Amino acid sequence: MPDQIAIALSFVLFLSLFTLVGVYSASRQSNTTTDYLLASRQVNPWLTGLSAFATAHSGGMFISTIGWTYTAGISSVWLLVGWFLGDYLAWFFVHKPLRVISESTNSETIGAFLGQKQKGYSAIAAVSALITIAFLGAYAAAQLLAGSKALHVIFGWNYSWGIVLGAAIVVTYCFSGGIRASIWTDALQSVLMMVAMILLLIIALISCGGFSGLWQQLGSIDRALIDPIPQNLKYGFGLFMLSWLVAGLGVVGQPHIMVRAMAIDDAENLGLARNLYAVSYVIFSAAAVLVGLSARVLLPNLINGGDPELALPQMAIALLPAILVGIILAGIFSAVVSTADSQILACSAALTQDLFPALGRSYRLVKIGTLIVTAIVLAIALGSNKNMFALGVFAWSALASGLAPLLIVRVWRGSVSAGLGVVMMLTGVATAAIWNGVLHLSGSIYEVLPGMLAGFLVYGFGRLCKLWLAEIFR
């Protein structure tokens, strides 16, 4: 009982701090939709970089990445390497023009940017909003589920309690301060996330006998765990890596992340934000892989009937004193809410600005939209099958396949008709769904590659048809 009290006290202390920071941010807001959705485009690059890191690498890194590494071994690192390279390319070629063009077109949401108020804008905006709400809502639910898993392990809580707690914390400060609250708390949470992961890594490596001891013990368990090449790749390592690089580029289709580029104070400051993001990602993801490998040595029984996604909280309990377990738990929850809050706000923006634009003219109704979206996300999380990795990974791929090709075309100032834009989005999502759910090929080539490729092929075919018809009727 004393251990439980110490864990709870340190956990509650950090959660209270985040909530207070988020609520305090409301004192800096102006009661406009632009401020609620984009913080009046005045976010400094340090906050932008830290917020983007915390939002993009969240409960998934603490729970699903560690769980996957526990199962697959060192080869899991290639998912993170490919993802990082694609993500980093997007910072160079997409983020800056997105910031510039979104301001010049007065676009406050990704849906608005995709349509850019051309003829048929409402169709593009509405379809992008439906994709965002459906899949980003599911993604947010996966984050709440990740946090609930940690609470289940440490306190023995029912999964539902942790999901409800996470939703309550997110809606408290998001409703108060909008995206400014999300960004401010993200920056603070990113620091705790890093401290928690590195702290557990140090203790875990010591317990495994250092790097050499870890490597030897992994090899004795299963040689496949130290094989750098993933097993049973149907189409070879090259296409596997390319698919995960494209998955990283799929960040362009994630409204909750891309909105941070739209909110920065100056497009010229994106370089500093990008470098801060990159350094944080490399350190954090490397630590997550090593923690996952250490868990395979220290908690070998999870592979037989256990849940590898519970490796980190269980290892924290086994290795750390109660007060530090509370910090780890707060770190996991920080990762969860730093992504869930951004996703809920992005869905709220899609609902009130793009799907029902009449609501978007009212600041009060936009905030009510946040409550509605939170309720939807809560329902998805409570009804989920508790597999966060599958839920989060497919949500990412559907968003990337559906929104990224059209956004890239818009950023590069390509001409897109309303009908062509809608077909691009729907074809991308459908291709990703078929690749994953019907063909079952995602284990060899992640579905973002065929999904995004399909979207670009539709665009190319549409442009060729337009040129062909113009030539005929000239």
Side-chain angles (χ1 to χ4, degrees):
M1 182 62 71
D3 283 353
Q4 292 284 307
I5 293 173
I7 293 170
L9 286 175
S10 59
F11 174 61
V12 169
L13 174 66
F14 283 106
L15 290 191
S16 300
L17 177 61
F18 301 144
T19 305
L20 287 173
V21 168
V23 172
Y24 172 72
S25 71
S27 66
R28 301 288 298 274
Q29 72 178 358
S30 56
N31 294 332
T32 65
T33 57
T34 300
D35 194 80
Y36 189 75
L37 299 175
L38 290 178
S40 300
R41 300 186 195 268
Q42 294 177 353
V43 180
N44 74 57
W46 287 88
L47 289 176
T48 299
L50 289 173
S51 176
F53 160 68
T55 298
H57 309 291
S58 53
M61 195 72 81
F62 272 98
I63 300 296
S64 60
T65 297
I66 289 175
W68 178 247
T69 301
Y70 182 100
T71 302
I74 193 65
S75 64
S76 68
V77 74
W78 295 115
L79 278 66
L80 301 176
V81 170
W83 201 298
F84 171 73
L85 294 175
D87 194 344
Y88 203 55
L89 285 173
W91 277 90
F92 274 102
F93 297 109
V94 178
H95 289 58
K96 184 174 181 179
L98 173 63
R99 172 64 176 84
V100 172
I101 298 172
S102 66
E103 184 172 26
S104 67
T105 58
N106 195 30
S107 301
E108 296 180 352
T109 67
I110 293 299
F113 179 81
L114 294 177
Q116 294 184 14
K117 296 184 172 63
Q118 68 179 57
K119 184 179 179 181
Y121 156 79
S122 58
I124 290 179
V127 172
S128 70
L130 289 171
I131 292 171
T132 297
I133 293 167
F135 295 106
L136 200 58
Y139 203 167
Q143 302 306 317
L144 297 180
L145 178 57
S148 74
K149 284 192 171 190
L151 291 173
H152 171 74
V153 170
I154 292 174
F155 295 127
W157 288 9
N158 183 284
Y159 281 112
S160 300
W161 298 359
I163 290 170
V164 171
L165 175 62
I169 292 170
V170 167
V171 79
T172 297
Y173 62 75
C174 281
F175 188 78
S176 300
I179 197 170
R180 180 178 286 103
S182 173
I183 290 173
W184 282 24
T185 53
D186 282 354
L188 181 60
Q189 288 160 353
S190 68
V191 175
L192 181 61
M193 286 164 56
M194 190 72 73
V195 169
M197 187 69 82
I198 292 176
L199 172 65
L200 188 58
L201 172 61
I202 292 171
I203 302 299
L205 282 177
I206 292 172
S207 300
C208 291
F211 288 103
S212 60
L214 171 63
W215 197 258
Q216 290 172 5
Q217 292 178 78
L218 286 170
S220 65
I221 294 171
D222 186 345
R223 296 295 299 177
L225 295 173
I226 57 174
D227 186 348
I229 305 301
Q231 305 292 307
N232 303 318
L233 296 179
K234 189 172 183 179
Y235 300 105
F237 182 72
L239 274 178
F240 172 80
M241 273 299 295
L242 177 62
S243 71
W244 284 99
L245 186 148
V246 175
L249 184 61
V251 69
V252 174
Q254 312 303 316
H256 62 299
I257 301 173
M258 298 307 294
V259 73
R260 276 143 177 77
M262 296 166 65
I264 197 169
D265 54 7
D266 191 323
E268 298 303 320
N269 288 333
L270 278 165
L272 174 58
R274 178 190 67 234
N275 293 335
L276 182 60
Y277 169 88
V279 170
S280 301
Y281 175 91
V282 170
I283 295 173
F284 190 74
S285 59
V289 168
L290 288 170
V291 166
L293 294 174
S294 300
R296 185 59 186 270
V297 170
L298 299 173
L299 301 172
N301 293 330
L302 288 180
I303 201 66
N304 297 315
D307 185 351
E309 289 192 348
L310 300 179
L312 186 144
Q314 288 197 5
M315 194 159 64
I317 293 174
L319 298 179
L320 301 177
I323 191 71
L324 296 183
V325 173
I327 293 175
I328 296 295
L329 182 59
I332 297 172
F333 233 75
S334 297
V336 166
V337 298
S338 68
T339 298
D341 59 9
S342 307
Q343 293 167 330
I344 286 171
L345 282 171
C347 290
S348 172
L351 176 69
T352 60
Q353 306 295 305
D354 302 325
L355 193 58
F356 300 107
L359 302 177
R361 291 189 285 270
S362 168
Y363 174 71
R364 182 176 62 86
L365 290 177
V366 170
K367 295 184 76 173
I368 291 174
T370 301
L371 296 178
I372 294 171
V373 168
T374 304
I376 295 171
V377 169
L378 186 59
I380 295 171
L382 291 173
S384 71
N385 66 358
K386 308 297 182 288
N387 188 336
M388 185 205 162
F389 186 76
L391 186 62
V393 167
F394 183 72
W396 178 282
S397 64
L399 289 162
S401 301
L403 303 182
L406 181 55
L407 190 142
I408 291 172
V409 169
R410 283 301 202 191
V411 158
W412 292 346
R413 300 182 185 274
S415 175
V416 185
S417 68
L420 181 58
V422 169
V423 173
M424 286 176 66
M425 290 187 285
L426 295 179
T427 301
V429 172
T431 301
I434 292 170
W435 192 268
N436 181 299
V438 178
L439 302 178
H440 304 293
L441 295 174
S442 298
S444 297
I445 298 177
Y446 186 32
E447 63 265 15
V448 174
L449 176 57
M452 287 184 62
L453 181 60
F456 283 120
L457 287 175
V458 167
Y459 175 72
F461 180 75
R463 293 293 295 162
L464 285 174
C465 287
K466 183 177 180 180
L467 293 173
W468 180 63
L469 290 173
E471 184 67 24
I472 290 176
F473 295 104
R474 187 173 58 180

